């Protein structure tokens, strides 16, 4: 009898120690089918096009390498801290396509939107991209990664210097040194709208502190677009009814780490985030006949339709939907935590800037002119002003 218990104890100890060295990941089915051998264990879920698996720590790099070679992406899977978190993430990623509660997507602030849109200036966006891409890299563990994010905090603080209703927070993460920067303009209500993008950059297969990674398009362009939106709102003395938050996330390039932590915190604290807009890569106008591509997976259908209507009404530009095919940027962190998020992107997936994640991702990919981001700044402004009612 006792012998049986000892054996049982030994087996469960071995399984437990094994589990300590395994990582819980979520990914898409197409990936899983080709690389079954890298998964130690696959969990049964009701979701048919995504899955949760255990991957040994030493196989994580192999999986990443495979995705790079065969699927031309770096991530393609998300590492989670716990099984519970993974389940919640996968569930929300699929059901998050529709809203849980009513959000007013009507368009009725025409006069106000039309006074703000002409204020957007290419020159400012150009300057911010130039500044951010002058750092050797903005890697989440590098000194220049920390400094560049601190520069964003300083620059944003300068912009809001005369506003008593606004503040800039340097949000420190426990597990890595690059902070996330959060600018808040307080409204009358605690309903919140978030516009974000990642501040970090990366180059080379496995990144690294020493690689040169200007990341002009990916994603100095998104941060520069957001910065110009803030500048225009402040110069026009916009007083929001809802609370507006602008975020420069850290550590996106290594698995959406910064945004995942923040979206999870907002979920835990039951923050009333009624809309999230992600700006990641706005510089390269790669699709001849299209201006703005709305990413349709890991995003909210209703909010996406609203963005399409805003483009038609205020920008008179061409737009279409395309898929990323996986949780390719920080919008997925918000979707995974049950918030409505959208991701307007620079080009069709097939026409995107191929120089990202190399030392050649500079302003030269757009011949030194930041006119494509101007469209995204205008879209973000019309989104904010119309949703803020
Ligand atoms: N800017 C890219 C995301 C992107 C790439 C969007 C291609 C649309 C098309 C982002 O910074 C990135 O590189 N994401 C990783 C995944 C992430 C989970 C590490 C990627 O796409 O490999
Ligand atoms: Zn990237």
């Amino acid at each position: 009898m006792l012998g049986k218990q000892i054996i049982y104890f030994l087996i469960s100890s071995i399984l437990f120690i094994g589990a300590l060295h395994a990582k819980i990941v979520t990914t898409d089915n197409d990936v899983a089918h080709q690389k079954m051998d890298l998964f130690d264990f696959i969990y049964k879920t009701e979701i048919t096009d995504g899955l949760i698996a255990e991957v040994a720590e030493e196989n994580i790099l192999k999986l990443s390498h495979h995705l790079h070679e065969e699927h031309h992406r770096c991530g393609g899977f998300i590492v989670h801290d716990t099984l519970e978190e993974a389940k919640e993430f996968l569930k929300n990623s699929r059901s998050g396509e529709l809203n849980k509660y009513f959000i007013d997507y009507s368009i009725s602030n025409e006069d106000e939107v039309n006074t703000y849109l002409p204020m957007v200036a290419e020159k400012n966006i150009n300057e911010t991209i130039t500044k951010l891409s002058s750092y050797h890299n903005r890697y989440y563990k590098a000194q220049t990664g920390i400094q560049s994010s601190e520069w964003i905090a300083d620059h944003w603080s300068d912009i809001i210097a005369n506003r008593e209703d606004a503040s800039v927070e340097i949000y420190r993460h426990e597990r890595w040194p690059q902070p996330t920067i959060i600018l808040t303009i307080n409204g009358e209500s605690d309903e919140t709208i978030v516009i974000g993008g990642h501040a970090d950059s990366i180059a080379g297969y496995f990144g690294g502190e020493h690689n040169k990674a200007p990341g002009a398009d990916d994603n100095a362009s998104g941060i520069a677009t957001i910065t110009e939106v803030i500048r225009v709102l402040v110069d026009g003395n916009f007083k929001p009814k809802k609370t507006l938050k602008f975020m420069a996330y850290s550590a996106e390039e290594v698995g959406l780490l910064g945004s995942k932590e923040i979206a999870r915190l907002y979920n835990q604290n039951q923050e009333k985030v009624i809309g999230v807009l992600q700006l990641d890569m706005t510089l390269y106008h790669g699709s001849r006949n299209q201006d703005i591509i709305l990413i349709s997976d890991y995003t909210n259908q209703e909010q996406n339709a609203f963005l399409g209507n805003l483009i038609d009404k205020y920008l008179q530009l061409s737009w279409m939907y395309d898929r990323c095919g996986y949780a390719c940027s920080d919008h997925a962190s918000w979707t995974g935590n049950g918030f409505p998020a959208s991701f307007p992107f620079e080009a069709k997936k097939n026409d995107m800037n191929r120089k990202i994640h190399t030392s050649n991702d500079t302003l030269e990919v757009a011949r030194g002119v930041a006119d494509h981001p101007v469209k995204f700044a205008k879209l973000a402004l019309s989104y904010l002003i119309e949703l803020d009612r």
Side-chain angles (χ1 to χ4, degrees):
M1 258 328 255
L2 200 62
K4 218 174 173 182
Q5 269 177 359
I6 290 174
I7 290 172
Y8 180 74
F9 174 76
L10 283 176
I11 292 177
S12 35
S13 307
I14 291 166
L15 283 177
F16 179 71
I17 290 167
L20 278 183
H21 292 282
K23 298 265 181 198
I24 307 272
V25 305
T26 51
T27 185
D28 303 282
N29 259 351
D30 59 331
V31 173
H33 279 307
Q34 293 167 36
K35 278 289 150 189
M36 280 301 188
D37 54 318
L38 293 180
F39 297 124
D40 289 338
F41 186 77
I42 293 182
Y43 292 90
K44 278 216 168 79
T45 65
E46 286 133 44
I47 288 143
T48 49
D49 56 343
L51 68 100
I52 304 176
E54 266 178 29
V55 181
E57 197 146 13
E58 63 268 26
N59 281 336
I60 290 272
L61 283 183
K62 280 193 204 153
L63 188 59
S64 170
H65 188 74
H66 159 78
L67 291 171
H68 224 282
E69 298 288 284
E70 322 263 321
H71 295 257
H72 306 287
R73 43 168 121 150
C74 310
F77 60 92
I78 294 191
V79 180
H80 300 273
D81 294 335
T82 62
L83 179 59
E84 286 316 306
E85 189 196 303
K87 280 185 181 160
E88 166 106 354
F89 192 92
L90 206 59
K91 199 178 98 221
N92 283 329
S93 300
R94 301 306 192 265
S95 67
E97 290 170 5
L98 292 171
N99 282 334
K100 292 190 204 108
Y101 35 82
F102 176 77
I103 296 173
D104 185 359
Y105 291 123
S106 61
I107 297 180
S108 56
N109 257 340
E110 198 170 340
D111 292 346
E112 200 164 22
V113 173
N114 283 328
T115 56
Y116 282 90
L117 294 195
M119 294 169 69
V120 175
E122 185 273 341
K123 181 170 173 283
N124 296 324
I125 299 176
N126 195 311
E127 279 172 14
T128 308
I129 295 175
T130 303
K131 171 70 191 179
L132 286 174
S133 52
S134 75
Y135 289 90
H136 184 66
N137 63 45
R138 302 186 302 279
Y139 192 63
Y140 79 127
K141 280 184 173 171
Q143 270 309 313
T144 46
I146 303 167
Q147 286 159 2
S148 52
S149 282
E150 286 173 350
W151 180 82
I152 295 170
D154 287 344
H155 189 47
W156 286 4
S157 299
D158 288 344
I159 297 175
I160 58 152
N162 296 323
R163 289 279 297 239
E164 301 218 320
D165 57 345
S167 57
V168 172
E169 179 195 0
I170 299 182
Y171 179 100
R172 310 252 174 219
H173 299 271
E174 238 169 61
R175 289 190 276 183
W176 61 91
Q178 183 183 49
T180 287
I181 311 304
I182 304 176
L183 184 154
T184 305
I185 306 181
N186 292 312
E188 296 151 22
S189 88
D190 56 356
E191 286 195 321
T192 300
I193 306 170
V194 173
I195 298 200
H198 68 92
D200 63 319
S201 73
I202 198 167
Y205 265 15
F206 302 121
E209 253 174 87
H210 303 292
N211 295 354
K212 183 179 159 119
D217 188 11
D218 188 10
N219 180 32
S221 68
I223 298 298
T225 306
I226 294 168
T227 304
E228 181 61 356
V229 169
I230 300 167
R231 205 267 316 155
V232 166
L233 290 175
V234 170
D235 278 0
N237 205 23
F238 185 77
K239 296 275 163 60
K241 296 180 198 68
K242 303 204 156 119
T243 295
L244 311 184
K245 286 192 182 277
F246 300 89
M247 304 195 177
Y249 310 111
S250 78
E252 185 268 353
E253 296 288 10
V254 289
L256 317 179
L257 297 186
S259 59
K260 219 171 51 171
E261 186 175 317
I262 286 168
R264 207 168 159 219
L265 185 71
Y266 278 50
N267 188 2
Q268 276 168 0
N269 295 346
Q270 300 184 336
E271 300 282 353
K272 296 186 193 128
V273 178
I274 63 149
V276 179
L277 194 72
Q278 172 70 3
L279 292 173
D280 181 5
M281 298 170 65
T282 63
L283 182 60
Y284 181 70
H285 189 186
S287 302
R288 272 188 172 279
N289 301 316
Q290 300 293 337
D291 295 296
I292 294 175
I293 304 328
L294 298 177
I295 299 296
S296 60
D297 52 347
Y298 294 90
T299 55
N300 180 283
Q301 265 178 43
E302 293 171 61
Q303 188 177 262
N304 291 344
F306 173 54
L307 286 170
N309 290 339
L310 290 171
I311 301 173
D312 291 340
K313 170 132 183 111
Y314 292 119
L315 309 182
Q316 288 95 39
L317 295 170
S318 54
W319 66 274
M320 62 176 281
Y321 287 112
D322 199 4
R323 286 169 54 84
C324 223
Y326 56 102
C328 65
S329 190
D330 302 301
H331 58 291
S333 297
W334 292 98
T335 301
N337 278 285
F339 298 109
S342 298
F343 180 23
F345 187 64
E346 65 184 15
K348 287 189 249 179
K349 189 81 192 306
N350 278 335
D351 302 335
M352 66 180 262
N353 175 10
R354 301 274 159 204
K355 299 214 162 99
I356 67 166
H357 302 179
T358 74
S359 57
N360 295 320
D361 181 12
T362 66
L363 196 48
E364 277 314 299
V365 304
R367 298 201 191 86
V369 186
D371 48 3
H372 204 41
V374 167
K375 305 168 191 168
F376 292 80
K378 289 183 176 175
L379 175 59
L381 277 166
S382 43
Y383 167 79
L384 274 183
I385 296 169
E386 284 290 357
L387 204 52
D388 181 59
R389 64 182 77 252

